[in-house]
Amino acid sequence: MLSIIVPVYNVEKVLRHCLNSLRFQSYRNIEIILIDEGSTDLSGAICDRFARVDPRFKVFHKKVKNFSEALDKGLHMAKGEFVSFINPVDRIDDLMIEKLLLTIIKNQADIVIANYGEELDKADQMAIEDSNTVIWTKEKALKKITDQFRLQSFLCNKLFAIDLFRSDPALEFDLTVDIFGDLLMSIQCILKSKKIIYDPNLHYHYIAYKHAPFFNELTKEKLSGPKTLLKIIELTKGVEKFDVSIIKEQYVNYSIQLLMHLLNEESKNWQQIKEAKQNLYHFSLNELSSQKVKKSCVLARKMTYIYFNIWKIRSESLD
């Protein structure tokens, strides 16, 4: 059996579409674990409705501390030999589970990573390709997942052998992490795995226009983002043939965006602004590879308000 874990929170407008893409998978021996994180809209009721018509849906209602706790609860509930995580805003094609399951069993792999398509609007429907799978090294998988940073999902286009989490040393979601916990877990899985397969066929559909803008609301979780990225940097800095400066640059870029959004708030929290600006000094410029990131970092450090005005003009032109 295969377990699919879906964390759910206030997504009533898009949830049915996602759950139907799971319900009508060509491979039927699945359990679909819906972790309702305390939704205040109709998301919980929608989950219950699917569970009434299809016993493969298992619903757990609980207000959790953070996203990591929701995923951890789903992982502990999972009874399958394999596990997949799906974002409730997105959808998967009807053959995804069957194809990835056959691939992971045939190759005796720990992880299969599916290609994903980023759909920017309703008309942007990508066709499914037909290409052969390839073996990825840990270093290549790490590089590819950091390239995925602009998306809001890191676990969702992958299938994992459950033993990867449960064999010694066991992997559990870090409950102290408020954001990027899925990225941290993905990297832990990659580092622990013995064999990783990449399926270049398009199976996972990241529905970008349905995801809320990442900094739409400056919550405690988003403010804690740099701390999680530092944990990831510490975890990967000793990996051979992997350039950890890539994640350091993500840390700097994230910290700049965080600072800009804090400055853009009507009611400014100057302590948070001070902390966000201090993040820009965590790494020396020599630890960064990209000249563009170095330039942005210097400008945000030394000419913060000039940089902010430029950022604001650019942001308004995109609206």
Side-chain angles (χ1 to χ4, degrees):
M1 186 169 70
L2 184 144
S3 301
I4 301 174
I5 298 169
V6 186
V8 176
Y9 183 72
N10 288 354
V11 285
E12 62 178 4
K13 294 181 180 179
V14 296
L15 184 57
R16 293 179 186 86
H17 193 56
C18 172
L19 298 188
N20 275 321
S21 79
L22 302 180
R23 184 183 176 194
F24 296 111
Q25 284 294 299
S26 60
Y27 182 76
R28 305 288 297 169
N29 188 21
I30 59 176
E31 63 170 358
I32 305 160
I33 301 171
L34 308 178
I35 307 295
D36 174 24
E37 306 174 38
S39 299
T40 56
D41 65 0
L42 294 176
S43 297
I46 294 170
C47 291
D48 290 336
R49 195 174 308 143
F50 270 81
R52 284 195 296 270
V53 299
D54 189 334
R56 296 177 302 164
F57 285 87
K58 317 291 183 184
V59 185
F60 183 81
H61 299 282
K62 183 185 178 183
K63 187 172 179 60
V64 295
K65 176 184 175 184
N66 53 38
F67 182 58
S68 293
E69 185 179 348
L71 294 176
D72 197 61
K73 178 62 182 177
L75 187 59
H76 280 91
M77 291 175 64
K79 296 178 181 177
E81 298 173 74
F82 304 93
V83 62
S84 184
F85 302 84
I86 304 296
N87 191 301
V89 171
D90 303 327
R91 67 180 176 86
I92 63 177
D93 71 64
D94 296 346
L95 295 172
M96 173 174 158
I97 296 301
E98 179 182 352
K99 293 284 190 181
L100 298 191
L101 186 59
L102 287 172
T103 299
I104 201 169
I105 292 173
K106 177 182 176 182
N107 292 276
Q108 296 183 312
D110 299 300
I111 307 172
V112 177
I113 301 174
N115 191 10
Y116 66 89
E118 186 177 357
E119 296 181 8
L120 302 176
D121 55 52
K122 291 182 179 180
D124 191 14
Q125 300 286 325
M126 296 186 177
I128 298 174
E129 303 170 8
D130 186 15
S131 303
N132 295 325
T133 59
V134 294
I135 298 175
W136 271 3
T137 63
K138 294 179 184 181
E139 294 76 22
K140 183 161 188 176
L142 287 174
K143 185 179 185 305
K144 290 294 184 179
I145 199 171
T146 52
D147 287 345
Q148 204 174 315
F149 198 86
R150 71 185 182 280
L151 307 183
Q152 295 179 28
S153 309
F154 294 99
L155 288 167
C156 293
N157 61 329
K158 302 168 181 66
L159 181 64
F160 303 89
I162 198 72
D163 284 347
L164 190 61
F165 297 93
R166 295 178 178 169
S167 63
D168 190 44
L171 297 178
E172 293 186 335
F173 286 92
D174 188 339
L175 302 188
T176 68
V177 166
D178 292 314
I179 198 167
F180 300 136
D182 53 345
L183 175 58
L184 179 60
M185 176 57 83
S186 294
I187 289 174
Q188 287 177 301
C189 287
I190 288 169
L191 293 177
K192 186 179 178 182
S193 66
K194 295 180 180 177
K195 192 172 187 181
I196 302 168
I197 301 293
Y198 173 64
D199 183 345
N201 300 297
L202 177 61
H203 293 300
Y204 192 91
H205 300 265
Y206 180 85
I207 316 298
Y209 65 93
K210 291 184 179 178
H211 284 264
F214 186 78
F215 281 106
N216 193 37
E217 182 183 4
L218 277 175
T219 60
K220 178 189 71 172
E221 289 79 10
K222 294 181 178 64
L223 293 169
S224 69
K227 294 179 182 177
T228 311
L229 291 175
L230 288 178
K231 288 190 175 190
I232 293 169
I233 290 167
E234 187 66 24
L235 188 64
T236 56
K237 68 180 183 181
V239 179
E240 289 186 30
K241 299 181 182 178
F242 177 68
D243 185 1
V244 75
S245 68
I246 296 171
I247 305 181
K248 291 179 180 179
E249 288 167 3
Q250 300 291 8
Y251 173 93
V252 171
N253 280 327
Y254 183 89
S255 297
I256 291 173
Q257 290 301 310
L258 181 60
L259 175 60
M260 295 301 104
H261 282 275
L262 285 167
L263 288 171
N264 201 40
E265 293 275 278
E266 286 187 20
S267 179
K268 294 177 176 54
N269 186 316
W270 294 106
Q271 181 59 36
Q272 291 176 350
I273 289 171
K274 180 181 177 182
E275 291 175 3
K277 190 169 181 180
Q278 286 175 341
N279 291 340
L280 302 181
Y281 292 87
H282 192 92
F283 299 110
S284 69
L285 296 179
N286 291 334
E287 294 179 80
L288 309 175
S289 298
S290 168
Q291 292 300 318
K292 183 178 179 181
V293 175
K294 288 182 181 181
K295 182 179 178 181
S296 296
C297 186
V298 170
L299 290 173
R301 284 177 180 179
K302 304 298 185 183
M303 295 181 283
T304 306
Y305 287 96
I306 293 175
Y307 189 95
F308 170 67
N309 287 327
I310 295 171
W311 173 87
K312 194 169 183 180
I313 290 170
R314 287 176 177 172
S315 299
E316 290 172 351
S317 68
L318 294 173
D319 292 339

